[in-house]
């Protein structure tokens, strides 16, 4: 059994604003094993970026407040650490990749220098020539053609997809144990997106890096994740092995996300349905289940009491009253049932 590298317990992050206190992350729990990829999925505004920034202690304070919980990285809680201690961890043990690669790149510095700086900082005493050689190897490893030539170019000379590869090379230069990628492919076109995901899978296999992959697109998750956490209104509402989330989803919000995935196989499928309604106001989070107002199967209790995490299997949990033993059985929405049938049919074909 792989070692647990990260354990997040009851994490709560607030923001103090003029309109009131925004409860952006409301009691998030998950863990991550060495070499594992966890995908965090949810609509825009569900708290994915706040959660991942919190892991790096990148929440600006003020307006942000670490209002509760623990972030145990290799058993040590990061929340009480000083900025100096965190600086040592960042980029060293934990590295992060963002949606816009330009936020991570210095536009006025050749990319070779940006990579060697990280190598020299993290492997102190490395001779300059060896650092350069390593940087070129890294550029090659992340799939950048002509790495020797590219070494001496500036970020603006790279395309968006190539820039994201450079950012990944910089992140890898420090040989982090944990890589957090916040929508790293969202700004890229579908082909490049698939290439970056393949690259991250390769990195994980070769280096046994643990990855937290954040996305609003459930479609990319099946390809990269071992486990999936579905976030809604600052909470994890369903959590489990990737196959259980895709084949046996239990939360109506997950059904909504699955149902709104574009079907690439079947072009006649309706394009991009969205889940009707909008997420709740996080200054005044609703009593009961935060998803109730958008849940066509909501019961009285959904408006009164917050559901607990029900265990579906030892590796699958969902926070919905529909899993209560007294709840009525509700049929899986047709779009989701059809989607699952589609996966099963595809598997049968592959297994013949
Ligand atoms: N600096 C901030 N001040 C106030 N509210 C914030 C701040 N940063 C994030 N939030 C709020 O926290 C919630 C979660 O945001 P975020 O984590 O960025 O969502 P996601 O990444 O899932 O799209 C949103 O309601 C957002 O408005
Ligand atoms: Mg985000």
């Amino acid at each position: 059994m792989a070692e647990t590298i990260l354990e997040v317990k009851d994490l709560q992050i607030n923001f103090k604003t003029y309109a009131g206190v925004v409860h952006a992350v409301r009691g998030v729990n998950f863990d991550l094993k060495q070499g594992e990829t966890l995908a965090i999925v949810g609509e825009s505004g569900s708290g994915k970026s706040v959660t991942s920034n919190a892991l790096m202690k990148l929440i600006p304070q003020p307006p942000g407040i670490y209002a509760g919980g623990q972030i145990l990285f290799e058993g040590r809680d990061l929340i009480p650490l000083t900025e100096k201690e965190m600086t040592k961890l960042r980029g060293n043990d934990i590295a992060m990749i963002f949606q816009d690669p330009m936020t991570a790149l210095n536009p006025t510095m050749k990319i070779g220098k940006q990579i060697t700086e990280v190598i020299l900082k993290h492997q102190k005493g490395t001779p300059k020539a060896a650092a350069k050689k390593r940087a070129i190897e890294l550029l090659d490893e992340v799939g950048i053609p002509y790495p020797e030539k590219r070494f001496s170019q500036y970020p603006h000379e790279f395309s968006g997809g190539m820039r994201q590869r450079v950012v990944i090379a910089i992140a890898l230069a420090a040989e982090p144990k944990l890589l957090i990628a916040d929508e790293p492919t969202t700004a890229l076109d579908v082909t490049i997106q698939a290439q970056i995901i393949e690259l991250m899978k390769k990195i994980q296999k070769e280096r046994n890096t643990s990855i937290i992959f954040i996305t609003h697109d459930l479609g990319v998750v099946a390809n990269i994740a071992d486990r999936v956490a579905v976030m809604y209104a600052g909470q994890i509402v369903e959590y489990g092995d990737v196959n259980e989330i895709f084949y046996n989803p239990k939360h109506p919000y997950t059904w909504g996300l699955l149902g709104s995935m574009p079907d690439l196989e079947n072009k006649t499928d309706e394009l991009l349905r969205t889940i009707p309604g909008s997420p709740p106001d996080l200054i005044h989070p609703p009593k009961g289940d935060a998803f109730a107002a958008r849940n066509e199967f909501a019961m009285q209790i959904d408006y009164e009491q917050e559901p607990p995490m029900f265990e579906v299997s030892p590796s699958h949990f969902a926070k919905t009253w529909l899993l209560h033993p007294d709840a009525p059985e509700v049929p899986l929405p047709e779009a989701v049932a059809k989607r699952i049938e589609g996966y099963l049919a595809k598997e049968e074909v592959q297994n013949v």
Side-chain angles (χ1 to χ4, degrees), residues 215-268:
T215 177
H216 66 275
D217 179 3
L218 202 49
V220 307
V221 163
N223 253 321
I224 189 165
D226 301 302
R227 278 194 296 158
V228 179
V230 179
M231 259 190 110
Y232 186 74
Q235 298 180 322
I236 291 177
V237 297
E238 186 156 11
Y239 181 48
D241 284 349
V242 64
N243 286 329
E244 295 182 80
I245 299 296
F246 277 87
Y247 289 100
N248 190 24
K250 292 294 185 193
H251 198 287
Y253 178 60
T254 312
W255 296 344
L257 292 178
L258 284 166
S260 60
M261 258 164 57
D263 190 341
L264 298 177
E265 308 281 314
N266 181 3
K267 299 254 164 56
T268 58

Side-chain angles (χ1 to χ4, degrees), residues 293-304:
R294 301 172 77 183
N295 180 3
E296 60 175 305
F297 309 106
M299 302 172 282
Q300 189 60 35
I301 192 168
D302 284 293
Y303 294 96
E304 291 163 0

Side-chain angles (χ1 to χ4, degrees), residues 13-256:
I13 308 287
N14 295 341
F15 292 96
K16 242 185 168 157
T17 69
Y18 288 112
V21 176
V22 179
H23 300 267
V25 174
R26 306 187 299 134
V28 158
N29 293 284
F30 64 84
D31 60 25
L32 187 68
K33 308 250 183 299
Q34 196 180 7
E36 182 183 42
T37 298
L38 171 75
I40 302 181
V41 192
E43 288 169 305
S44 169
S46 55
K48 306 181 299 293
S49 292
V50 173
T51 300
S52 62
N53 290 336
L55 302 180
M56 286 284 263
K57 292 282 294 293
L58 289 174
I59 302 288
Q61 302 176 80
I65 305 160
Y66 289 82
Q70 290 181 306
I71 300 167
L72 301 168
F73 179 72
E74 297 187 313
R76 179 165 72 145
D77 189 6
L78 303 186
I79 292 181
L81 293 194
T82 61
E83 184 51 28
K84 201 173 155 198
E85 290 168 307
M86 273 316 295
T87 307
K88 247 168 98 183
L89 272 174
R90 272 185 222 128
N92 205 352
D93 286 338
I94 311 177
M96 198 156 171
I97 305 167
F98 298 93
Q99 179 174 331
D100 177 7
M102 282 316 269
T103 57
L105 295 172
N106 179 342
T108 66
M109 199 193 278
K110 290 179 178 168
I111 64 112
K113 181 138 198 270
Q114 301 192 45
I115 302 173
T116 46
E117 271 195 350
V118 177
I119 297 171
L120 293 170
K121 188 171 146 222
H122 294 281
Q123 280 105 19
K124 288 209 173 66
T126 309
K128 266 210 162 143
K132 178 172 179 182
K133 186 165 166 268
R134 180 74 193 116
I136 291 172
E137 274 169 22
L138 279 166
L139 287 173
D140 185 44
E141 201 177 310
V142 299
I144 294 180
Y146 311 110
E148 286 93 354
K149 184 178 138 216
R150 292 303 219 162
F151 183 89
S152 310
Q153 292 184 336
Y154 290 94
H156 70 85
E157 298 177 77
F158 290 73
S159 66
M162 285 294 154
R163 270 182 213 148
Q164 197 58 297
R165 287 171 192 265
V166 171
V167 172
I168 294 173
I170 292 174
L172 292 180
E175 305 195 342
K177 296 173 184 162
L178 170 61
L179 189 61
I180 303 171
D182 188 357
E183 311 236 15
T185 62
T186 302
L188 306 173
D189 75 49
V190 179
T191 320
I192 311 291
Q193 216 178 73
Q195 290 170 2
I196 298 284
I197 285 172
E198 280 312 309
L199 170 62
M200 295 194 65
K201 277 164 69 176
K202 182 184 103 161
I203 288 163
Q204 184 189 51
K205 235 193 218 148
E206 289 172 2
R207 300 172 176 245
N208 206 27
T209 312
S210 306
I211 298 178
I212 296 180
F213 190 93
I214 292 173
T215 177
H216 66 275
D217 179 3
L218 202 49
V220 307
V221 163
N223 253 321
I224 189 165
D226 301 302
R227 278 194 296 158
V228 179
V230 179
M231 259 190 110
Y232 186 74
Q235 298 180 322
I236 291 177
V237 297
E238 186 156 11
Y239 181 48
D241 284 349
V242 64
N243 286 329
E244 295 182 80
I245 299 296
F246 277 87
Y247 289 100
N248 190 24
K250 292 294 185 193
H251 198 287
Y253 178 60
T254 312
W255 296 344

Side-chain angles (χ1 to χ4, degrees), residues 271-325:
L271 276 177
L272 272 180
R273 274 169 288 249
T274 52
I275 306 171
S278 49
D281 170 9
L282 293 176
I283 294 177
H284 308 284
K287 205 174 133 191
D289 185 336
F291 190 62
R294 301 172 77 183
N295 180 3
E296 60 175 305
F297 309 106
M299 302 172 282
Q300 189 60 35
I301 192 168
D302 284 293
Y303 294 96
E304 291 163 0
Q305 220 176 310
E306 194 180 322
M309 267 287 181
F310 286 97
E311 181 177 317
V312 180
S313 83
S315 52
H316 183 190
F317 302 85
K319 189 177 168 67
T320 167
W321 283 119
L322 290 176
L323 290 172
H324 189 277

